[in-house]
Structure formats: C-alpha cells, structure tokens
Amino acid sequence: MRKIFICAIVALLSIVSTTAIAGSDDVMITRDGSFINVKVLRISNSDVNFINLDKKRQGELKAPTDYVYMIMKEKGSNVLFDEEGNQTTSSHVKIDKKDNVLFLNNGKFFPVFNVEIGKNEISYKLKGSKKAPVEKVTKDEAFLLKNSDGTTTLFNNKYIEKMRKAKAEAQAKAAAAPSVPSAQIPTSQTATTSLTSQATPSTQATPAVTTTPNTPSTSTGELKFSPATTLSDDEIVRRVYAKQPYTLYGKGTIAEYIIMKGDKQSQFMGLPTYVQQVVAEEKVSNGLLGVYVKQVLLNKKHEPSKGISASFKSYYYPTEIDTAGTFHLTHDISRDFYLLSSRQGYAMLLPSMPNVGDKLKCGTIADNSKNLFGGTVKLKAEYTDFYVDGTETVTTPAGTFNCIRLKGKVFEDNSAYKVNYQYTWWLARGVGFVKYEIINVDGKDANVPTTILLNKLERP
C-alpha cells in the first residue's frame, strides 16, 4: 500500500503536483544503487514516468518517488528525492564518467580518489589537487560510491530492507488468511520491486502476475512460477525486464569468467581458463521469456580454444523467467566432449527479491548430449538443499557487485563419473553469476575449492 504524503512536500511542488521535463537524456539513480540512462517524461508527487534509453522496448516505465534517489539532469537542476519520496532540487554538477563519485544521503556528491572503506568510515581525497587533504565521512552519512568502472558500492540499503519487510509482512498476512477453494481466491498484489511498466488501456486491469485456470504453477512456500499466457509477448518482455531478476539477459550480453584454483589460473572439468557466456537469443514461449545462453571457451592466451573438445563445448542452455521476476535457474552440466542437444528440468526457482534464509525449490536437470563420436549420452544433475545464505559485496576483475549468496549440493551423474559437489554461488541483480566456489566432496582436494570469477561484462 502506498504511503500517504504530507500535504506540503516541498515548496517546489506546492504550486503544481506534476512537473513536465523536457526530453533530454538524464541519469536516474535508484535506491538499490542502479544508474539508468533515462528520458524523463513526468514527475508527480508519487511517481517518476520515464523511458529506459538502454532498453527502449520496455516502453514507458513508472517508479515510485521513494525508490528514486536522484535524477541527474543533462541540463538544468538535478532533482533529489529523500527516503520518503519528497522532492527538492540542487544545482547542476557535471561529472566525468571516469571519476569515482561519492554520493551522500543528503544529496551532495563529489569526485574523489584514494578511497578507503573502513569498518565505520570512508576516507578519500577530493579530486582537483594532488595535495588535497584526506577527508572522512561515516558510512551512515554515505549513500553510495560510483566507481570509475561503472560499478557501485551501496552503503544505504534501507530501501531494500523496507521492501523485504513489506514482502515478509504480505507473506505472513497471506499465510494467516483462511483458506478458500482455489477458484474463489481473489487476485492480490504483494510487495514487488519498484520499477513497473506503465499500463496501456488494453492491459491496465491485468495484474503483474497472471495465472489462468489452465496455466501450470509450481509452488515452493509462497513462491510460484507463473507463466503469463494471457499477456502479449511485448508486455511479457517489459514486465520481466522491469523486475530485473538475478540472471544474465539482454541479447548480445557477454559475461566472461576466469577459473582459479587457489591463487592460480586453472581448469575445471577440462574447461580452458576463460569461459564466456553469451546471450544469443531471447524469445517468448508459453507465457515465459526464454533467455538462451551460448558458452564460448578461450585458452590461457585469451584466444578461442582450438581442437575437438572446444567444438563440443559451444552449446546453448535456456533460462525461463516469468513476469514476477521468478526464474528457472539453470546451469551447465554438459562438459568434457559433450554437446547439449536437449534439456529437461531446472536447477531451482529463484524469486526476484529473495530473503536471507529462504529455502529454494530445487529440481533436476536432465540433458541429452552427443559425445565425441556422435553417440547419445544422458547426463543428470540433482540440486538439493539450496538456500539464501546471506548478502555480500564481492569484488572481481569485472568490478564490485552487491550480491546474494546461495549454498547447496549438486550430484552429477553421467557415463564418465558420479560425483557430489558443494556449491556456493554469488549472484548480482541484472548480472547473474559473479562468483562460484565449487568443492568436490568426494575428491582428494576437497579443502581447496575451484573458484570461478566474473572477469569481464559486456553489454550491447
């Protein structure tokens, strides 16, 4: 439920409740630390209507004002939003994209260098003078640090915690409600992420997640995987993108990983030392957005891997996402001279806003693959005991990311081996896997995990 604002929000908005902004290219910074290139259409007391210039096919989007931290204008005054959504303006400040920029909770921001993040304080020097003195702010004063590589470090996560609390309260309320026959259950709207599509007249009455009597739905506690078969393909794509789940998507996106054993580049299950996951295709089928990922292998010299084994490791595997942001998390199990030909099942279901401690609905992936000689090989991986272990800021060669941390067990069974693994996965919103740790429980080196780190991220 939307909170009720006080009558006089700020003097700027006491005259008009809606401000129209010229169609210049601006940057919207959100309370979860995202920087979005936007064309702002309207700002009202409660919402910001805009176009995401990097994902125009989403159409017009709407974000609650309490979700927005700042709109940095290309020209003219910046628009600031406090934690309640109240608006003020500040003078236009031009910053270089290559700068590290520290943003404070009060809306002030400035380019910095020599940044050190301590337990309770952040020390830095102001850009502009090599002899600049060291200055400090407490972490409680800071909102986020935008790093020169485009990544961000979020210090104020009150909005994320507020959304988690709202979701938990909605789930508790739903669990406490008396049960009624499924045909009589009314459509209800629980807490979701704050970026939503602007409804068109033809879809205005459609809830964010649509389930018809003939639509299959897999449940794990309050989590449901719900195909939206009544929506158009374009609307499904808009809503999936607006939810931004913890998976890699966007046709042409490349996530490159480096494989480490201890402190050294290594190999895992015969793979070269660099692995690229490329989003080769996106398409809507049966009410879900399917994202198809191709794996490309590079050798230690960062060149395309040669030989028979490399040709058998270029394959596609899908991730399916529904309009609530829940998605089938899948994984690569076709390795060592195997080429994936078809896949059934999924590793687990993951919601768009998981909570620490959540147990995840796990499944089994069954692959039909071809081996080096053209024969059919059946591969299977069973995923068990996965849960959200916590949150963590992870730094990799690709940058620093705010992640959720998943832990669980995987049993792999194919014609060559049967083995038990202990997995720890770190996932960042809109990126997917940032870091893996894999321990072969049955192996001799069980105390030395194989680590796979995000080495580079490229978007079209």
Side-chain angles (χ1 to χ4, degrees):
M1 183 179 69
R2 187 104 194 141
K3 57 183 176 292
I4 300 175
F5 293 98
I6 57 176
C7 296
I9 296 179
V10 287
L12 176 67
L13 295 176
S14 62
I15 301 176
V16 292
S17 61
T18 300
T19 304
I21 294 183
S24 57
D25 295 355
D26 306 319
V27 175
M28 184 167 73
I29 308 174
T30 61
R31 289 277 166 188
D32 60 3
S34 299
F35 281 64
I36 307 172
N37 295 317
V38 298
K39 176 181 179 181
V40 178
L41 304 176
R42 295 177 299 280
I43 298 179
S44 70
N45 290 354
S46 57
D47 298 296
V48 177
N49 293 64
F50 64 97
I51 301 291
N52 184 338
L53 296 177
D54 296 325
K55 299 174 182 177
K56 293 182 180 179
R57 66 176 179 173
Q58 295 177 6
E60 183 176 337
L61 300 174
K62 180 171 64 175
T65 51
D66 66 344
Y67 174 63
V68 182
Y69 166 77
M70 177 187 297
I71 296 175
M72 298 183 68
K73 301 296 299 299
E74 179 69 21
K75 297 178 181 179
S77 299
N78 297 326
V79 183
L80 309 178
F81 300 83
D82 66 17
E83 293 177 1
E84 300 300 315
N86 304 323
Q87 305 163 41
T88 57
T89 60
S90 68
S91 301
H92 174 75
V93 178
K94 189 72 174 180
I95 60 174
D96 193 314
K97 291 182 179 180
K98 297 180 181 179
D99 287 339
N100 299 305
V101 183
L102 182 62
F103 292 82
L104 303 182
N105 288 320
N106 61 12
K108 294 182 179 180
F109 59 95
F110 30 82
V112 295
F113 67 101
N114 286 7
V115 180
E116 293 186 7
I117 302 174
K119 183 177 180 180
N120 299 311
E121 291 183 327
I122 304 166
S123 63
Y124 59 90
K125 291 185 177 182
L126 291 174
K127 182 183 176 182
S129 173
K130 293 182 179 180
K131 298 182 180 180
V134 175
E135 302 195 29
K136 295 181 179 181
V137 296
T138 65
K139 281 189 175 180
D140 290 339
E141 296 176 89
F143 175 64
L144 66 77
L145 174 68
K146 184 195 78 66
N147 303 300
S148 58
D149 62 359
T151 60
T152 59
T153 303
L154 184 66
F155 301 108
N156 183 340
N157 64 348
K158 292 180 181 178
Y159 180 84
I160 296 173
E161 293 302 321
K162 180 175 72 173
M163 293 301 294
R164 284 177 176 162
K165 182 178 178 181
K167 178 183 176 183
E169 290 175 350
Q171 289 177 341
K173 184 177 179 180
S179 60
V180 295
S182 58
Q184 299 177 19
I185 297 176
T187 301
S188 62
Q189 186 173 355
T190 59
T192 62
T193 50
S194 299
L195 191 60
T196 58
S197 298
Q198 177 66 29
T200 60
S202 61
T203 61
Q204 197 165 14
T206 306
V209 181
T210 303
T211 305
T212 63
N214 295 322
T215 300
S217 178
T218 303
S219 175
T220 169
E222 293 298 318
L223 174 61
K224 293 183 177 180
F225 190 75
S226 304
T229 54
T230 60
L231 300 182
S232 68
D233 288 0
D234 288 343
E235 183 63 17
I236 289 172
V237 170
R238 287 196 192 102
R239 296 189 184 201
V240 166
Y241 270 91
K243 294 299 179 184
Q244 295 196 2
Y246 289 86
T247 188
L248 184 70
Y249 57 83
K251 187 174 180 179
T253 299
I254 301 174
E256 180 182 285
Y257 299 87
I258 183 172
I259 300 174
M260 307 288 291
K261 193 75 170 180
D263 296 328
K264 298 180 179 179
Q265 277 188 266
S266 182
Q267 295 182 337
F268 174 66
M269 299 299 296
L271 292 176
T273 53
Y274 295 99
V275 179
Q276 288 186 347
Q277 293 183 353
V278 182
V279 179
E281 184 181 6
E282 290 182 312
K283 65 180 180 180
V284 174
S285 179
N286 298 321
L288 303 172
L289 175 64
V291 179
Y292 294 83
V293 177
K294 178 181 180 181
Q295 186 158 280
V296 178
L297 308 182
L298 304 175
N299 61 24
K300 199 168 185 177
K301 295 181 180 179
H302 217 267
E303 300 169 341
S305 185
K306 299 178 181 179
I308 297 175
S309 61
S311 65
F312 272 81
K313 291 170 183 169
S314 294
Y315 61 88
Y316 299 84
Y317 56 93
T319 298
E320 296 177 310
I321 317 170
D322 71 11
T323 55
T326 305
F327 66 95
H328 278 161
L329 178 61
T330 189
H331 201 222
D332 56 324
I333 64 172
S334 296
R335 296 188 289 255
D336 289 336
F337 303 101
Y338 296 129
L339 177 65
L340 177 66
S341 56
S342 65
R343 165 165 287 180
Q344 291 183 337
Y346 60 93
M348 66 194 69
L349 292 180
L350 189 67
S352 62
M353 292 191 69
N355 296 310
V356 175
D358 280 356
K359 294 181 179 180
L360 304 177
K361 177 71 174 179
C362 296
T364 298
I365 293 176
D367 283 357
N368 287 328
S369 301
K370 293 181 179 180
N371 63 17
L372 180 63
F373 307 102
T376 299
V377 179
K378 293 185 180 296
L379 311 175
K380 184 173 70 173
E382 297 177 357
Y383 295 76
T384 58
D385 302 327
F386 271 84
Y387 67 101
V388 183
D389 178 55
T391 61
E392 186 176 345
T393 299
V394 176
T395 298
T396 76
T400 301
F401 302 88
N402 297 316
C403 299
I404 59 169
R405 185 175 60 247
L406 308 183
K407 287 190 175 182
K409 302 174 183 177
V410 180
F411 172 67
E412 291 192 10
D413 181 4
N414 67 31
S415 58
Y417 59 85
K418 295 182 180 180
V419 64
N420 288 286
Y421 292 110
Q422 177 69 50
Y423 277 82
T424 305
W425 292 335
W426 289 260
L427 294 93
R429 183 173 292 275
V431 177
F433 288 102
V434 168
K435 178 181 177 182
Y436 301 67
E437 276 191 359
I438 306 167
I439 296 176
N440 181 346
V441 178
D442 303 322
K444 296 180 181 180
D445 58 348
N447 294 324
V448 183
T450 297
T451 304
I452 303 176
L453 299 173
L454 184 63
N455 189 53
K456 184 168 57 176
L457 182 66
E458 297 179 3
R459 298 191 184 277

